[in-house]
C-alpha cells in the first residue's frame, strides 16, 4: 500500500495559520461594534446593581402571586375573555390572510403589476410592519371605539403587513416553469397567476398563514392593555389592583393557550408541507 | 408567334404576382424549378441575443414550413433554449426579428401576442406541471389561451366541452385513467406525457419542445419522443425541438439546425446528415 503520510516539505507547505490576523479595517469594525454595544447598554440603563437586587423582589412577587387565583367565577370570567381573545385572533388573522393575497400580487415583482406599483405596495407593507400592533390597536380604538372590534382590525392590519410581504416573496420564489408553460400557450397574466403561481406557492402560503395565526394569538393577548378587547385588560386590572394571584392566572392561561396554538400550528404545518413531497 | 409570346409573358407575370402575393410560401429547389411546399410558420431574421455584455448568438436566420419538425442541436451554453424562448416571444431578442404564424412578435401588442400563443404549445424538460393540482386540471390549463377566465382555472369549474377535450387529450397520451390523480404523484415519464397532453389540448399549429426527454431515463425518453411525434405528425403540426440526443435529432427531425460559436453552423435535412456530422457540433 502506498504511504500517504506527507513528506517534510509537504508538511511545511501544508502548515497554515489556524486563525487569520484581522485586517486594519476588520479590527476597526470589531472595535466599533463593541463601542456600539456598550453605548446601547448605557442608553438602556443597564445596571448590574439592579440585576443583583432584583431576585428578592421577584421572589416577593412570586410569593404574592402563588397560588394563582383558581376560584370558579374568576376562571369562568377569564375563560370567556380568553375565548374572546381567540375570536379576535382568528377573525383578524383569517381576514388579514385573505386580504394579503391581492396585496401580495401587487407587491410581487414580475407578476401582474409593474415595478413602480411593486415598490409602492412594498413600501406600504414596510410601513404597516414598522408600526407595532399595540399602536395600531390605539389608532383603531380612536377610530371605532373601545372593544374587541378595534383589536380585530389591528390584527387584520398587522397580518396584512406580515403575510403581504411573505406571500409576495413566496410567489417570487416559486418555480417559474409552470407559469412559463401557460404563458407560452397564450394565457393571460391573471390566469397564469391563478393556475400556476398561487397553487405553486400554496404550501408556503399555508405555512406563513399559520405563523400569522400564532402571531395574532400572541398579539391579541396584550391588545386589551389599550382597551382593544381580549384578556389583556384582565392582566392590566390584576396588576393595577395588586391582585397578583389573578394576574398570575392570566399569565399562565396565556402561556398555555399560546403554546397549544404553536403545537397545533406546527403539527398542521408538518402535515401540509409533508404531503407536498 | 405573338400568341406564344403573350402567353409566356402572362405566365411569367402570373408567377411573379403569385410569388409576391404569397411571400409566406416556402419553395424548394426540385431540379430546375422551385415548387411551393408549405406556408411558413416560423421565420427568424438575423436574430441575435445578448445577456448584458455576453453575446449568446447572433445573425440567426431560418424559415420553417408548416408540418416541418426541426431539431435544434448544439453543445451546452450555445443558446438553444434561449433561441426557443425568443421564437415564442417569451424573452425579447436583442436584434433582428421573429415571425411566428405570420406575425412579427417584437411588434405585436400583448393581446396580439396572446392570440398568437393560443396557437402554440410548449413541452419543457421538467414538464412544468403544477404539482398539487389534478392531472385533468393541468391539461385544462392548456386551453387558457383560447378560453381565458376562471372557468378554466380548475377542471371542477370547466365547461363540459373543455373537460371532454382535456380527457380526449389524456386519452391520446394513454393517461385517461389518471385524470383525477395529483400531478406530483406521477412518474417522470407520466408527467411528461401529461405535459404533452396539455400542449396539444388546444390543437396548436406550432409546438416547441425544450429537451423533452432530458430528465427521463433512455427507455421512458424514447417512449415520450415516439408518442410526441406520432401525435404531432397526425395533425401536421410544426415542431421545433432542442435535444442533446443526436439520434433523436436525426430520427425525429425533418431538418436539423446546429448552433455553435453563437451562430447557425448547420442547416440541412436530417436525411442528408450522419451521426458524425452532428457529433462535430459538440467538439
Amino acid at each position: 500500500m502506498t504511504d500517504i503520510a506527507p513528506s517534510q516539505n509537504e508538511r511545511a507547505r501544508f502548515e497554515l495559520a489556524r486563525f487569520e490576523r484581522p485586517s486594519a479595517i476588520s479590527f476597526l469594525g470589531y472595535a466599533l461594534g463593541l463601542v456600539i454595544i456598550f453605548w446601547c447598554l448605557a442608553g438602556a440603563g443597564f445596571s448590574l446593581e439592579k440585576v443583583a437586587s432584583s431576585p428578592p423582589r421577584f421572589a416577593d412577587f412570586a410569593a404574592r402571586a402563588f397560588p394563582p387565583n383558581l376560584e370558579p367565577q374568576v376562571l369562568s370570567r377569564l375563560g370567556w375573555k380568553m375565548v374572546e381573545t381567540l375570536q379576535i385572533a382568528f377573525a383578524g388573522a383569517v381576514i388579514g390572510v385573505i386580504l394579503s393575497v391581492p396585496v401580495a400580487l401587487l407587491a410581487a415583482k414580475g407578476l401582474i403589476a409593474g415595478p413602480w406599483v411593486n415598490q409602492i405596495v412594498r413600501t406600504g407593507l414596510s410601513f404597516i410592519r414598522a408600526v407595532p400592533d399595540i399602536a395600531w390597536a390605539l389608532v383603531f380604538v380612536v377610530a371605532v371605539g373601545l372593544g374587541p372590534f378595534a383589536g380585530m382590525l389591528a390584527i387584520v392590519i398587522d397580518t396584512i403587513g406580515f403575510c403581504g410581504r411573505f406571500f409576495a416573496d413566496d410567489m417570487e420564489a416559486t418555480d417559474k416553469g409552470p407559469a412559463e408553460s401557460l404563458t407560452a400557450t397564450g394565457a393571460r397574466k391573471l390566469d397564469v397567476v391563478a393556475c400556476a403561481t398561487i397553487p405553486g406557492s400554496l404550501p408556503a402560503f399555508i405555512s406563513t398563514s399559520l405563523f400569522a395565526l400564532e402571531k395574532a394569538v400572541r398579539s391579541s393577548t396584550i391588545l386589551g392593555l389599550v382597551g382593544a378587547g381580549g384578556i389583556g385588560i384582565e392582566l392590566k386590572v390584576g396588576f393595577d389592583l395588586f391582585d397578583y394571584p389573578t394576574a398570575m392566572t392570566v399569565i399562565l392561561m396565556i402561556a398555555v393557550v399560546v403554546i397549544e396554538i404553536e403545537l397545533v400550528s406546527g403539527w398542521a404545518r408538518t402535515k401540509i408541507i409533508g404531503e407536498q413531497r | 408567334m405573338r400568341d406564344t409570346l403573350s402567353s409566356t409573358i402572362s405566365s411569367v407575370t402570373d408567377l411573379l404576382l403569385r410569388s409576391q402575393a404569397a411571400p409566406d410560401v416556402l419553395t424548394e429547389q426540385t431540379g430546375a424549378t422551385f415548387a411551393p411546399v408549405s406556408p411558413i410558420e416560423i421565420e427568424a431574421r438575423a436574430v441575435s441575443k445578448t445577456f448584458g455584455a455576453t453575446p449568446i448568438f447572433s445573425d440567426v436566420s431560418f424559415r420553417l414550413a408548416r408540418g416541418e419538425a426541426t431539431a435544434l442541436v448544439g453543445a451546452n451554453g450555445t443558446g438553444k433554449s434561449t433561441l426557443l424562448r425568443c421564437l415564442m416571444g417569451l424573452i425579447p431578442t436583442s436584434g433582428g426579428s421573429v415571425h411566428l404564424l405570420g406575425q412579427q412578435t417584437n411588434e405585436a401588442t400583448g393581446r396580439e401576442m396572446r392570440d398568437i400563443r393560443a396557437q402554440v404549445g410548449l413541452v419543457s424538460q421538467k414538464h412544468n406541471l403544477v404539482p398539487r393540482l389534478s392531472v385533468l386540471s393541468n391539461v385544462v390549463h392548456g386551453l387558457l389561451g383560447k378560453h381565458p377566465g376562471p372557468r378554466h382555472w380548475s377542471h371542477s369549474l370547466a365547461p363540459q366541452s373543455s373537460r371532454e377535450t382535456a380527457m380526449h387529450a389524456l386519452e391520446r397520451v394513454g393517461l385517461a385513467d389518471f385524470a383525477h390523480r395529483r400531478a406530483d404523484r406521477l412518474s417522470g415519464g407520466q408527467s411528461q406525457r401529461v405535459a404533452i397532453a396539455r400542449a396539444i389540448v388546444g390543437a396548436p399549429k406550432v409546438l416547441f419542445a425544450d429537451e423533452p426527454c432530458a430528465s427521463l431515463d433512455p427507455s421512458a425518453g424514447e417512449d415520450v419522443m415516439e408518442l410526441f411525434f406520432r401525435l404531432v405528425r397526425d395533425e401536421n403540426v410544426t415542431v421545433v425541438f432542442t435535444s442533446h440526443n443526436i439520434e433523436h435529432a436525426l430520427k425525429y427531425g425533418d431538418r436539423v439546425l446546429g448552433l455553435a460559436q453563437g451562430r447557425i453552423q448547420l442547416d440541412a435535412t436530417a436525411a442528408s446528415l450522419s451521426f458524425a456530422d452532428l457529433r462535430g457540433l459538440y467538439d
Side-chain angles (χ1 to χ4, degrees), chain A residues 1 11 32 49-50 58 86 89 115 120 130 136 146-147 161 168-169 175 178 182 206 218-219 232:
Chain A
M1 196 169 158
R11 227 177 257 137
L32 187 66
E49 194 184 331
K50 285 183 181 173
F58 185 76
L86 290 176
I120 289 166
W136 283 117
L146 290 165
D169 288 351
D175 180 14
L182 296 187
I206 292 168
R218 274 195 298 272
S219 297

Side-chain angles (χ1 to χ4, degrees), chain A residues 175-192 194-196 199-200 202-203 206 272-273 275-277, chain B residues 85 88 90 114 117-118 120-122 124 126-133 141-142 144-145 148-150 152-153 182 184-185 198:
Chain A
D175 180 14
K176 301 283 185 293
E180 186 185 67
S181 290
L182 296 187
T183 304
T185 56
R188 298 177 310 176
K189 280 183 180 177
L190 189 62
D191 292 327
V192 172
C195 296
L202 213 52
I206 292 168
I272 294 163
I273 309 284
E275 276 182 7
Q276 221 304 78
R277 303 281 160 242
Chain B
R85 275 155 184 75
M88 285 184 275
L90 290 173
R114 284 199 299 276
R117 289 190 189 133
V120 169
L122 168 66
S124 308
K126 286 197 306 169
H127 59 71
N128 287 342
L129 302 178
V130 184
R132 299 179 69 83
L133 300 184
H141 290 168
L144 280 167
H152 286 78
W153 288 359
R182 265 174 60 152
D184 53 1
R185 302 272 194 269
R198 180 179 60 187

Side-chain angles (χ1 to χ4, degrees), chain A residues 180-254:
Chain A
E180 186 185 67
S181 290
L182 296 187
T183 304
T185 56
R188 298 177 310 176
K189 280 183 180 177
L190 189 62
D191 292 327
V192 172
V193 166
C195 296
T197 311
I198 290 179
S201 311
L202 213 52
F205 278 14
I206 292 168
S207 179
T208 304
S209 302
L210 289 169
F211 277 124
L213 178 64
E214 288 175 29
K215 190 170 176 295
V217 171
R218 274 195 298 272
S219 297
S220 62
T221 57
I222 55 157
L223 294 182
L225 295 177
V226 294
I231 201 167
I233 188 67
E234 297 288 344
L235 190 63
K236 184 175 180 332
V237 169
F239 274 102
D240 284 353
L241 300 178
F242 302 104
D243 182 5
Y244 293 148
T246 303
M248 182 54 71
T249 309
V250 174
I251 289 169
L252 291 176
M253 282 179 88
I254 290 172

Side-chain angles (χ1 to χ4, degrees), chain B residues 18-261:
Chain B
R18 263 197 292 150
S19 66
Q20 282 174 349
D24 288 348
V25 170
L26 181 68
T27 53
E28 184 179 69
Q29 195 164 13
T30 51
T33 59
F34 282 82
V37 174
S38 229
I40 296 297
E41 299 276 51
I42 304 166
E43 182 174 4
R45 291 182 191 164
V47 172
S48 62
K49 182 68 189 172
T50 56
F51 285 123
T54 312
I56 307 298
F57 51 74
S58 61
D59 201 25
V60 169
S61 298
F62 53 80
R63 305 172 88 197
L64 307 181
R66 180 176 298 166
E68 198 173 28
T70 303
L72 197 54
V73 296
N76 284 332
T78 48
K80 300 184 298 296
S81 299
T82 303
L83 178 56
L84 218 58
R85 275 155 184 75
C86 287
L87 294 179
M88 285 184 275
L90 290 173
I91 53 172
T93 59
S94 305
S97 63
V98 172
H99 295 248
L100 182 58
L101 294 165
Q103 201 147 0
Q104 191 171 334
T105 56
N106 55 353
E107 287 189 351
T109 61
R111 176 68 187 269
E112 286 168 343
M113 204 59 230
R114 284 199 299 276
D115 288 344
I116 299 169
R117 289 190 189 133
Q119 304 172 71
V120 169
L122 168 66
V123 178
S124 308
Q125 181 181 337
K126 286 197 306 169
H127 59 71
N128 287 342
L129 302 178
V130 184
R132 299 179 69 83
L133 300 184
S134 72
V135 164
L136 186 56
S137 284
N138 271 286
V139 179
V140 165
H141 290 168
L143 293 166
L144 280 167
K146 288 186 170 144
H147 305 288
R151 290 215 66 186
H152 286 78
W153 288 359
S154 160
H155 76 83
S156 312
L157 305 172
Q160 187 59 26
S161 59
S162 297
R163 287 168 61 92
E164 283 168 6
T165 309
M167 281 305 294
H168 180 60
L170 276 174
E171 181 75 43
R172 293 178 73 191
V173 299
L175 289 175
D177 293 339
F178 291 71
H180 289 285
R181 187 172 288 198
R182 265 174 60 152
D184 53 1
R185 302 272 194 269
L186 301 176
S187 69
Q190 288 168 336
S191 298
Q192 199 59 296
R193 282 154 70 190
V194 175
I196 292 172
R198 180 179 60 187
I200 64 168
V201 71
K205 290 181 178 167
V206 176
L207 268 173
F208 294 96
D210 188 9
E211 300 191 37
C213 55
S215 61
L216 305 176
D217 65 62
S219 165
E222 199 61 45
D223 289 347
V224 162
M225 290 298 278
E226 280 285 351
L227 173 80
F228 181 68
F229 279 93
R230 183 158 40 79
L231 294 174
V232 297
R233 294 282 189 210
D234 289 350
E235 307 291 337
N236 199 31
V237 176
T238 308
V239 179
V240 185
F241 69 102
T242 64
S243 182
H244 278 305
N245 189 320
I246 293 175
E247 286 168 5
H248 283 173
L250 294 174
K251 183 176 175 184
Y252 298 107
D254 301 315
R255 182 172 167 187
V256 179
L257 295 175
L259 265 174
Q261 286 102 43

Side-chain angles (χ1 to χ4, degrees), chain A:
Chain A
M1 196 169 158
T2 317
D3 185 8
I4 58 163
S7 66
Q8 194 70 28
N9 282 346
E10 283 174 331
R11 227 177 257 137
R13 198 154 53 84
F14 294 163
E15 192 61 42
L16 295 172
R18 287 181 186 274
F19 302 101
E20 282 183 37
R21 183 194 293 268
S23 66
I25 290 175
S26 302
F27 183 79
L28 275 175
Y30 298 143
L32 187 66
L34 275 176
V35 168
I36 288 173
I37 290 169
F38 280 109
W39 179 65
C40 292
L41 286 172
F46 181 80
S47 158
L48 277 176
E49 194 184 331
K50 285 183 181 173
V51 171
S53 65
S54 66
R57 292 183 196 175
F58 185 76
D60 177 50
F61 166 75
R64 291 158 68 184
F66 278 97
N69 191 343
L70 300 177
E71 287 171 32
Q73 63 270 34
V74 171
L75 281 182
S76 169
R77 192 184 77 237
L78 294 183
W80 281 114
K81 273 290 175 192
M82 183 51 85
V83 169
E84 183 187 88
T85 305
L86 290 176
Q87 285 172 323
I88 293 170
F90 275 95
V94 169
I95 294 172
V97 164
I98 291 168
L99 293 179
S100 294
V101 175
V103 172
L105 285 173
L106 295 173
K109 294 185 189 84
L111 288 187
I112 59 170
W116 276 101
V117 176
N118 300 154
Q119 198 50 52
I120 289 166
V121 176
R122 278 190 178 264
T123 306
L125 291 173
S126 297
F127 173 77
I128 289 173
R129 284 196 309 280
V131 178
D133 45 12
I134 200 105
W136 283 117
L138 282 166
V139 169
F140 285 114
V141 164
V142 172
V144 299
L146 290 165
F149 185 53
M152 195 206 78
L153 291 176
I155 298 287
V156 169
I157 287 290
D158 199 46
T159 303
I160 291 173
F162 177 75
C163 287
R165 185 259 166 98
F166 284 106
F167 284 4
D169 288 351
D170 293 336
M171 286 192 284
E172 284 176 9
T174 198
D175 180 14
K176 301 283 185 293
E180 186 185 67
S181 290
L182 296 187
T183 304
T185 56
R188 298 177 310 176
K189 280 183 180 177
L190 189 62
D191 292 327
V192 172
V193 166
C195 296
T197 311
I198 290 179
S201 311
L202 213 52
F205 278 14
I206 292 168
S207 179
T208 304
S209 302
L210 289 169
F211 277 124
L213 178 64
E214 288 175 29
K215 190 170 176 295
V217 171
R218 274 195 298 272
S219 297
S220 62
T221 57
I222 55 157
L223 294 182
L225 295 177
V226 294
I231 201 167
I233 188 67
E234 297 288 344
L235 190 63
K236 184 175 180 332
V237 169
F239 274 102
D240 284 353
L241 300 178
F242 302 104
D243 182 5
Y244 293 148
T246 303
M248 182 54 71
T249 309
V250 174
I251 289 169
L252 291 176
M253 282 179 88
I254 290 172
V256 168
V257 169
V258 169
I259 290 169
E260 282 296 318
I261 291 287
E262 283 184 2
L263 288 174
V264 172
S265 157
W267 172 82
R269 192 175 296 112
T270 313
K271 196 86 181 148
I272 294 163
I273 309 284
E275 276 182 7
Q276 221 304 78
R277 303 281 160 242

